[in-house]
Amino acid sequence: MSMGNNLKGMALMTGAVVLFAGQDTTAKWLLVSGLATMQVAFVRYAVHLVATLAATVPRRGWGVLRSVNPRLQLLRSLALLGSTALNFVALSVLPLTTVTAIMFASPVLVTLLAVPVLGEKVGVAQFVAILLGFMGVLVVVSPWQAGFHPAILYSLGACLCTSVYFILSRMLAAESTATQQIWASGIATISLAPFALMQWQQPHDWLTVVLMVLIGVIGASSHSLVTLAHRIADASVLAPVVYLQLLFASVAGYLVFGQVPGVSTLLGAVVIISGGALLWLSGRRKRIAAIRTSAIALPSEQSHSTTRNKEDR
C-alpha cells in the first residue's frame, strides 16, 4: 500500500471512530431521556437495514441477501446484536469513557479466542499483551471499590460478544460486505421488534425523533467507512486509530453529560492500549518477516526454475 492510500485509510478510519463515539453518545442521550433500551437498539438496526437495502438492492438485486454460510452468518449477527444490546444497557448507567475503555480489550480477547477457534498460535509477546489487556480491564472495573456498579458486567458481556463477532467475521471473510451488513441489521431488527414494541415509549419531541433516525444512519455509515478504510490501507496501519475513540468519548461525555473520566478508567485504558499496541507491533513484525522470507525465497525459486529450463533444453 502507498503512503497516500494509508493516509486516506487513516482519515476514513478516524471518521469511523468519530461516528462510533457519536453512536454511543446518541444512544446514551436517548436512554437517559427515557426511551427503552430495546427500543433504541431496534431503531438503530432498523434504520441501518433500510439504508443498506436502499444502497445495495437497486445495484445488485435481491441476490445480495444470499449468504455463503447462513449458519455462521446467523451466529455472527446474533453476536453483534448481543454486543449492541448489552452495550446500550451499560451506557444507560455508566460513563461513556468507562464503556469505551472496557471495549478496548476486544482485540486482546480476539487473540485469545483465536487459539481454540481458529487454531492460531500465541507467542510470548501476544501472551504478555493478553495479560496487560485483562489487567487493564481489572483496573477499569475496580471490583474492590465501593462504587462498583453491576452494569459493568453488561459492558464486559458486550466486549465478549464483540470479540466473538470479530472471530466469526474472519471466518466469513469471503462474504461480501453488503451481505454481512444486511444479515446483521436484518436479524437484529427482526429479533428486537417484539421487545421494542412491548417497551415502546413515545418520543417527547422532534429532537428525539431526529436522533432515533440519526443513530441508525451513524451505525450504517461507520461500518461503511471501516470497510472503505480497509480496502485502501493496511490493517496494521488502521488498528491504532481505534484508540482515538477514548479521546472522542471523553470530549462527548464532558460536553453532553458533564462526565469527567475517573483515574481508574484512564489508568486502565492506558494499560489496555499498551496491550493492544504490543499485539499490533508483534503482528507487524510477523508480517514484515513473512514478506522478507518470501522475497528471499522468490529469487531462489526463479533460479531453480531457470536451471530446470536449461536442463530441459
Side-chain angles (χ1 to χ4, degrees):
M1 296 285 183
S2 66
M3 179 63 73
N5 283 342
N6 281 337
L7 288 176
K8 290 178 183 176
M10 290 176 69
L12 289 170
M13 195 67 181
T14 301
V17 169
V18 171
L19 291 178
F20 288 147
Q23 177 181 281
D24 286 349
T25 304
T26 305
K28 185 173 180 65
W29 194 94
L30 290 171
L31 293 167
V32 171
S33 70
L35 297 187
T37 303
M38 294 299 103
Q39 178 182 359
V40 176
F42 168 76
V43 170
R44 178 256 182 270
Y45 281 113
V47 176
H48 185 167
L49 175 62
V50 171
T52 306
L53 288 174
T56 58
V57 172
R59 293 184 294 107
R60 300 178 53 181
W62 291 104
V64 72
L65 300 176
R66 194 175 298 111
S67 173
V68 297
N69 194 326
R71 187 177 67 85
L72 282 184
Q73 196 64 258
L74 175 62
L75 292 175
R76 175 183 177 273
S77 302
L78 291 175
L80 181 61
L81 170 59
S83 171
T84 302
L86 291 172
N87 191 50
F88 282 6
V89 173
L91 280 170
S92 64
V93 292
L94 296 176
L96 277 171
T97 48
T98 301
V99 175
T100 302
I102 290 175
M103 292 299 287
F104 279 168
S106 179
V108 177
L109 194 54
V110 167
T111 302
L112 185 62
L113 290 174
V115 176
V117 178
L118 302 178
E120 296 183 4
K121 295 182 179 179
V122 174
V124 176
Q126 291 172 311
F127 181 74
V128 173
I130 290 171
L131 288 179
L132 282 174
F134 285 110
M135 286 172 57
V137 170
L138 192 62
V139 172
V140 173
V141 172
S142 300
W144 53 81
Q145 289 186 357
F148 173 80
H149 199 292
I152 285 180
L153 298 177
Y154 291 113
S155 189
L156 291 171
C159 183
L160 177 59
C161 287
T162 300
S163 303
V164 172
Y165 166 78
F166 285 135
I167 289 289
L168 294 173
S169 295
R170 288 189 189 179
M171 298 172 71
L172 286 165
E175 191 80 273
S176 74
T177 302
T179 302
Q180 294 197 37
Q181 289 215 40
I182 291 172
W183 271 73
S185 56
I187 288 173
T189 301
I190 295 170
S191 301
L192 290 168
F195 303 100
L197 293 175
M198 286 190 295
Q199 301 178 6
W200 194 268
Q201 299 291 325
Q202 194 64 26
H204 305 296
D205 48 39
W206 280 105
L207 175 60
T208 304
V209 175
V210 170
L211 291 179
M212 287 173 69
V213 175
L214 185 62
I215 193 172
V217 174
I218 290 174
S221 301
S222 59
H223 282 280
S224 298
L225 288 180
V226 169
T227 301
L228 289 173
H230 281 86
R231 282 180 182 170
I232 65 174
D234 295 329
S236 60
V237 173
L238 300 176
V241 178
V242 176
Y243 294 122
L244 289 174
Q245 187 174 344
L246 183 63
L247 172 63
F248 300 133
S250 299
V251 173
Y254 177 74
L255 293 178
V256 180
F257 306 107
Q259 297 172 336
V260 179
V263 176
S264 61
T265 298
L266 293 177
L267 179 60
V270 170
V271 177
I272 294 171
I273 291 173
S274 299
L278 183 58
L279 274 179
W280 172 70
L281 287 172
S282 63
R284 187 169 182 270
R285 286 170 183 165
K286 286 182 179 179
R287 284 187 289 272
I288 292 174
I291 292 171
R292 287 176 177 171
T293 300
S294 60
I296 293 172
L298 186 59
S300 176
E301 291 175 1
Q302 290 176 341
S303 175
H304 287 310
S305 177
T306 304
T307 302
R308 284 195 299 270
N309 289 337
K310 287 181 179 179
E311 290 174 352
D312 291 339
R313 291 173 188 171

